[in-house]
């Protein structure tokens, strides 16, 4: 029985390690700038160190190894009370109990100093805190020293301090969701303490059977796994301005890919010797096959489980999320469009005996060749002699009759090519199919027979449908890009309101970047960058980043706002190694030329080789990027001002 319980405890120690390390890595990557998260990181680090010592001690054989590991493990044991005091102070600062938090800030440094002193007393081999006792199996290796009771008082005070801080902040919480998270936290904050406190130094192991002690250790490990997960979820994302549904989704996925896979692997490895003994096979053989099977099955299981977990997370938004999840498979992308145009062009040219053809279609930079079949040299020569920009008006001016049948008169002869205009059902010009042949050649090759006309007409209609669909998708995506700043502002406003306290409500109301018309305010300020009422009286003068540089600009709010706008544009400047024709450079050059150099729309459009209508579309996208950069700058100032780094 004792042997079985020892094996169970080893598995659970490893499970606690995997869960704690996974959660620590996750919160560090996601929200390390938050002081609450840094304090939580200290608590998790203490759990990791303490349980690492327990796992190694269970296998240690030599007395000197036991002595070293038992003392080294105290680094984690002494970190937890200091982490609790740090955690309490960070929570009070987050709840804007500033006076109390500042008063306790010094206690954080004293707590860490006291922890270091206690650890040094242990690590240096003194018997003031602990001393080597009579080893009795897997549970009792040390006895309490005279200063151990000082550590117990320190631990209890630290844990009580954390609980008081949680209850204080919970009373000031305004929203049900924040109170719910703090209730979770108050119920689970003791997890690190349960995991690391050396209970056996307080109660002698001889007072209870070894099997009972091992069973209680196993139960405690399970409790720690559950509680530390809930505790981390409760506070790890405080200060992050993203919807709770995204927090839940990211957290669950991380738990699946990290702790779940790790614990399953540990359980399998621990079960291998038993299975190998029953089957009479070498354990190494089973491990090889097991690793092969689990490498394949675990990703499949996680992938299959994710939709069901998402369904629990998105109970109210299930239909929308399902649609968005399948959207990438149903989209008609640029690659899909190119493939359809090329295949349709081949299907038209081959039966007609045409050796070279192309399709002209619109894109982000105007009309261009989107598909080509045959000789690239001939197409390049044709485009050189007849620029596409000159062909479009001529093709667009052709009479359109949706009921007219396709014949040789439907083509426009330009040079050595016949061009067939493509139109949407309501007659909007979409592009053209170009075939290297004359109408007579098409007629002579049998291209205008009834069957051939039906085939070419059908393929042309498919191309028209594809171009119409691609154009509609582009308009939808442009609309979504235009809504992105507003949606982001609304999400951030919702998150701040969810985490608000009475003292932060006024700050939220005055936060300009959360207003839905923030991008328009940025556009107005850029339009009158060099002077005007939209700059001098802009609400953007209240930005934190503007107030920060006010002194550097001689106390002039207008100059400070100009400096912030100039910095936001400079942040958009791409790396010199990026292709000068890339979208990033186009947007940056547009902003610099139009607003910083005061060039006219015509001059900037000419320099960037685009039409004026395309210029205004690009300018809207560029201004949205400037607004996004200012938003990032404001978030940085907000984090600095509140200490959430």
């Amino acid at each position: 029985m004792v042997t079985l319980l020892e094996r169970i405890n080893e598995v659970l120690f490893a499970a606690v390690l995997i869960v704690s390390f996974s959660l620590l890595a996750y919160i560090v990557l996601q929200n390390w700038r938050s002081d609450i998260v840094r304090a939580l990181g200290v608590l998790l680090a203490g759990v990791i160190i303490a349980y690492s010592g327990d796992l190694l001690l269970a296998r240690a054989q030599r007395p000197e190894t036991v002595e070293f590991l038992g003392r080294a493990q105290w680094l984690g044991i002494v970190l937890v009370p200091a982490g609790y005091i740090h955690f309490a102070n960070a929570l009070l600062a987050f709840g804007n109990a500033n006076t109390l938090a500042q008063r306790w800030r010094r206690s954080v440094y004293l707590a860490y100093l006291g922890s270091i002193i206690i650890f040094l007393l242990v690590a240096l081999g003194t018997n003031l805190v602990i001393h080597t006792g009579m080893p009795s199996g897997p549970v009792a290796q040390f006895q309490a020293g005279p200063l151990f009771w000082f550590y117990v008082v320190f631990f209890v005070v630290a844990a009580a301090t954390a609980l008081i801080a949680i209850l204080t902040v919970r009373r000031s919480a305004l929203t049900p969701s924040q109170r719910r998270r703090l209730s979770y936290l108050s119920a689970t904050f003791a997890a690190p303490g349960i995991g690391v406190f050396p209970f056996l130094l307080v109660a002698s192991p001889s007072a209870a059977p070894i099997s009972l002690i091992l069973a209680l250790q196993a139960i405690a490990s399970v409790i720690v796994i559950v509680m530390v997960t809930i505790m981390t979820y409760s506070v790890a994302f405080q200060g992050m301005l993203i919807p709770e549904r995204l927090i839940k989704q990211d957290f669950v996925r991380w738990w699946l890919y990290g702790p779940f896979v790790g614990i399953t692997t540990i359980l399998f490895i621990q079960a291998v010797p038993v299975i190998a003994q029953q089957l009479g096979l070498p354990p190494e053989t089973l491990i090889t096959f097991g690793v092969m099977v689990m490498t394949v099955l675990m990703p499949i299981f996680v992938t299959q489980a994710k939709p069901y977990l998402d369904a629990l997370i998105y109970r109210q938004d299930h239909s929308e999320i399902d649609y968005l999840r399948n959207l990438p498979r149903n989209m008609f992308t640029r690659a899909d469009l190119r493939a359809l145009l090329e295949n349709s062009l081949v299907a038209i040219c081959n039966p007609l005996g045409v050796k070279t053809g192309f399709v002209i279609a619109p894109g982000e930079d105007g009309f261009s060749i989107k598909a080509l079949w045959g000789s690239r040299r001939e197409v390049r020569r044709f485009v050189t002699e007849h620029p596409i920009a000159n062909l479009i008006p001529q093709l667009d001016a052709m009479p359109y009759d949706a009921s007219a049948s396709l014949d040789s008169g439907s083509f426009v002869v330009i040079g050595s090519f016949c061009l067939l205009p493509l139109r949407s059902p309501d007659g909007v010009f979409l592009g053209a199919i170009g075939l290297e042949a004359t109408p007579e050649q098409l007629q002579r090759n049998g291209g205008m027979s009834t069957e051939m006309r039906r085939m070419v007409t059908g393929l042309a209609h498919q191309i028209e449908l594809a171009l119409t669909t691609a154009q509609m998708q582009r308009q939808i995506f442009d609309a979504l890009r235009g809504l992105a700043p507003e949606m982001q502002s609304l999400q951030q406003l919702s998150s701040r309101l969810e985490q608000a306290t009475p003292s932060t409500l006024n700050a939220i109301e005055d936060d300009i970047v959360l207003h839905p018309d923030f991008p328009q305010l940025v556009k107005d300020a850029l339009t009158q960058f060099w002077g005007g009422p939209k700059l001098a009286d802009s609400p953007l003068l209240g930005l934190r980043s503007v107030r920060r540089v006010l002194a550097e600009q001689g106390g002039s709010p207008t100059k400070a706002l100009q400096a912030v706008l100039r910095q936001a544009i400079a942040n958009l400047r791409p790396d010199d190694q990026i292709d000068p024709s890339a979208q990033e450079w186009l947007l940056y050059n547009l902003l610099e030329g139009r607003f910083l150099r005061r060039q006219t729309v015509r001059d900037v459009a000419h320099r960037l080789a685009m039409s004026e209508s395309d210029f205004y579309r690009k300018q809207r996208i560029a201004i949205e990027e400037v607004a996004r950069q200012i938003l990032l700058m404001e978030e940085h100032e907000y984090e600095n001002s509140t200490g959430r780094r």
Side-chain angles (χ1 to χ4, degrees):
M1 185 64 178
V2 172
T3 304
L4 176 61
L5 288 173
E6 288 182 16
R7 181 63 60 88
I8 292 174
N9 271 283
E10 287 184 28
V11 173
L12 290 175
F13 289 164
V16 173
L17 274 176
I18 292 171
V19 171
S20 301
F21 184 74
S22 297
L23 294 175
L24 176 61
Y26 185 55
I27 62 174
V28 165
L29 292 174
Q30 294 292 326
N31 197 18
W32 179 247
R33 291 177 294 182
S34 169
D35 198 31
I36 298 177
V37 169
R38 290 200 292 269
L40 180 61
V42 173
L43 292 172
L44 291 175
V47 173
I48 292 169
I49 296 171
Y51 270 88
S52 298
D54 287 337
L55 190 63
L56 295 173
L57 280 169
R59 292 291 184 177
Q61 301 293 329
R62 295 188 299 177
E64 57 270 23
T65 303
V66 171
E67 177 84 12
F68 171 77
L69 291 175
R71 291 182 178 276
Q73 147 182 71
W74 266 77
L75 175 59
I77 295 174
V78 299
L79 273 179
V80 169
Y84 271 138
I85 294 178
H86 185 184
F87 189 73
N89 183 267
L91 272 178
L92 290 173
F94 183 84
N96 282 281
N98 289 323
T99 303
L100 193 57
Q102 289 298 328
R103 189 185 308 162
W104 282 16
R105 192 66 187 177
R106 186 175 298 174
S107 66
V108 175
Y109 302 117
L110 293 176
Y112 280 116
L113 178 61
S115 296
I116 293 172
I117 293 173
I118 294 173
F119 176 69
L120 289 177
L121 292 175
V122 173
L124 294 176
T126 71
N127 293 326
L128 295 175
V129 181
I130 59 171
H131 62 85
T132 306
M134 295 289 293
S136 57
V139 293
Q141 307 295 345
F142 294 93
Q143 293 182 355
L147 294 183
F148 172 75
W149 303 107
F150 169 79
Y151 169 78
V152 173
V153 174
F154 177 38
F155 191 98
V156 172
V157 170
T161 300
L163 180 59
I164 293 171
I166 293 169
L167 297 178
T168 302
V169 175
R170 187 182 183 280
R171 281 197 297 269
S172 65
L174 299 178
T175 60
S177 57
Q178 189 175 12
R179 284 197 296 271
R180 185 181 68 250
R181 289 188 188 178
L182 289 169
S183 297
Y184 294 159
L185 181 60
S186 62
T188 59
F189 84 100
I194 295 173
V196 308
F197 188 81
F199 292 99
L200 295 178
L201 293 182
V202 178
S204 174
S206 60
I210 296 296
S211 58
L212 178 60
I213 294 175
L214 291 174
L216 291 175
Q217 279 187 339
I219 294 172
S221 297
V222 174
I223 292 174
V224 169
I225 290 174
V226 176
M227 291 177 66
V228 80
T229 300
I230 298 174
M231 180 185 180
T232 303
Y233 167 75
S234 301
V235 300
F237 300 94
Q238 289 285 6
M240 291 188 68
L241 302 181
I242 58 177
E244 187 175 10
R245 59 180 175 82
L246 297 180
I247 293 174
K248 290 179 179 178
Q249 185 186 49
D250 291 345
F251 194 79
V252 169
R253 287 183 177 178
W254 183 270
W255 219 95
L256 279 176
Y257 284 111
F260 177 76
V261 173
I263 292 172
T264 306
T265 304
I266 291 294
L267 288 173
F268 169 76
I269 293 175
Q270 292 291 331
V272 163
V274 178
I275 299 174
Q277 185 177 4
Q278 294 294 326
L279 298 178
L281 294 172
E284 296 79 7
T285 303
L286 287 182
I287 288 178
T288 301
F289 280 98
V291 169
M292 177 185 67
V293 172
M294 292 188 69
T295 302
V296 175
L297 292 184
M298 291 306 297
I300 294 175
F301 175 81
V302 171
T303 302
Q304 295 297 320
K306 277 166 52 179
Y308 297 100
L309 294 173
D310 288 345
L312 294 175
I313 295 171
Y314 299 117
R315 289 189 301 270
Q316 298 177 348
D317 307 315
H318 187 57
S319 58
E320 292 92 338
I321 296 301
D322 277 348
Y323 177 77
L324 292 175
R325 185 185 294 115
N326 296 323
L327 186 59
R329 292 181 175 272
N330 300 329
M331 282 177 54
F332 190 70
T333 64
R334 278 187 252 182
D336 297 333
L337 175 63
R338 187 182 302 110
L340 187 143
L341 294 180
E342 291 175 350
N343 295 333
S344 299
L345 188 61
V346 172
I348 291 173
C349 291
N350 275 338
L352 294 177
V354 175
K355 296 182 178 180
T356 302
F358 59 83
V359 176
I360 297 175
E364 291 187 357
D365 301 322
F367 286 89
S368 61
I369 302 293
K370 296 297 182 183
L372 185 147
W373 163 257
S375 173
R376 293 181 178 272
R377 180 182 300 176
E378 290 299 321
V379 174
R380 192 160 44 244
R381 180 184 59 79
F382 174 80
V383 173
T384 302
E385 295 176 357
H386 307 280
I388 293 177
N390 298 335
L391 293 176
I392 300 305
Q394 183 178 352
L395 295 171
D396 192 12
M398 282 190 63
Y400 173 66
D401 184 2
S403 61
S405 59
L406 180 70
D407 56 27
S408 59
S410 303
F411 291 86
V412 178
V413 180
I414 300 178
S416 60
F417 280 80
C418 287
L419 279 76
L420 176 65
L422 301 171
R423 298 182 182 274
S424 66
D426 54 355
V428 176
F429 180 74
L430 298 174
I433 299 174
L435 305 175
E436 190 184 22
T438 63
E440 292 77 13
Q441 290 174 326
L442 295 176
Q443 186 70 37
R444 185 169 56 251
N445 292 337
M448 293 300 110
S449 65
T450 303
E451 292 184 0
M452 197 63 67
R453 282 201 302 270
R454 188 181 300 115
M455 184 269 293
V456 174
T457 301
L459 290 173
H461 284 333
Q462 290 299 319
I463 294 177
E464 290 170 342
L465 176 62
L467 294 175
T468 303
T469 302
Q471 193 173 59
M472 291 176 62
Q473 281 191 173
R474 187 161 57 247
Q475 292 171 354
I476 292 172
F477 290 155
D478 287 344
L480 289 175
R481 291 190 188 99
L483 289 173
E486 287 80 1
M487 292 189 292
Q488 187 175 16
S489 295
L490 291 173
Q491 286 182 347
Q492 292 178 347
L493 177 60
S494 176
S495 298
R496 285 196 180 176
L497 288 173
E498 180 181 307
Q499 302 173 17
T501 59
S503 57
T504 60
L505 284 178
N506 292 334
I508 292 175
E509 184 179 353
D510 296 336
D511 202 338
I512 302 299
V513 297
L514 297 179
H515 292 189
D517 59 347
F518 175 65
Q520 182 62 40
L521 296 176
V522 174
K523 179 182 179 182
D524 293 341
L526 285 171
T527 303
Q528 296 189 356
F529 183 82
W530 295 100
K534 291 184 179 180
L535 180 73
D537 301 329
S538 174
L540 300 180
L541 295 173
L543 292 172
R544 296 183 184 87
S545 49
V546 172
R547 294 197 297 267
R548 181 179 61 81
V549 300
L550 192 60
E552 300 174 7
Q553 301 299 322
S556 171
T558 302
K559 290 183 178 180
L561 178 54
Q562 287 175 325
V564 169
L565 292 171
R566 189 179 287 108
Q567 181 61 49
I569 294 175
N571 292 344
L572 292 173
R573 190 182 192 278
D575 191 271
D576 292 333
Q577 297 179 352
I578 295 179
D579 186 357
S581 62
Q583 176 86 348
E584 293 87 346
W585 273 111
L586 188 145
L587 296 180
Y588 173 76
N589 290 330
L590 186 152
L591 291 166
E592 185 189 39
R594 181 73 183 98
F595 301 117
L596 300 186
R597 296 185 180 181
R598 307 178 71 175
Q599 295 177 344
T600 64
V601 171
R602 178 174 298 179
D603 290 341
V604 176
H606 178 73
R607 181 166 62 89
L608 299 179
M610 64 174 67
S611 63
E612 290 193 17
S613 60
D614 193 36
F615 170 86
Y616 285 111
R617 186 166 62 86
K618 297 292 186 185
Q619 178 180 266
R620 177 174 54 79
I621 297 174
I623 291 174
E624 290 168 0
E625 292 299 322
V626 174
R628 190 170 288 109
Q629 288 298 318
I630 295 177
L631 177 62
L632 294 174
M633 294 163 67
E634 284 297 287
E635 287 181 3
H636 181 69
E637 295 296 330
Y638 174 74
E639 290 160 358
N640 288 340
S641 64
T642 57
R644 299 170 196 176
R645 303 176 187 174

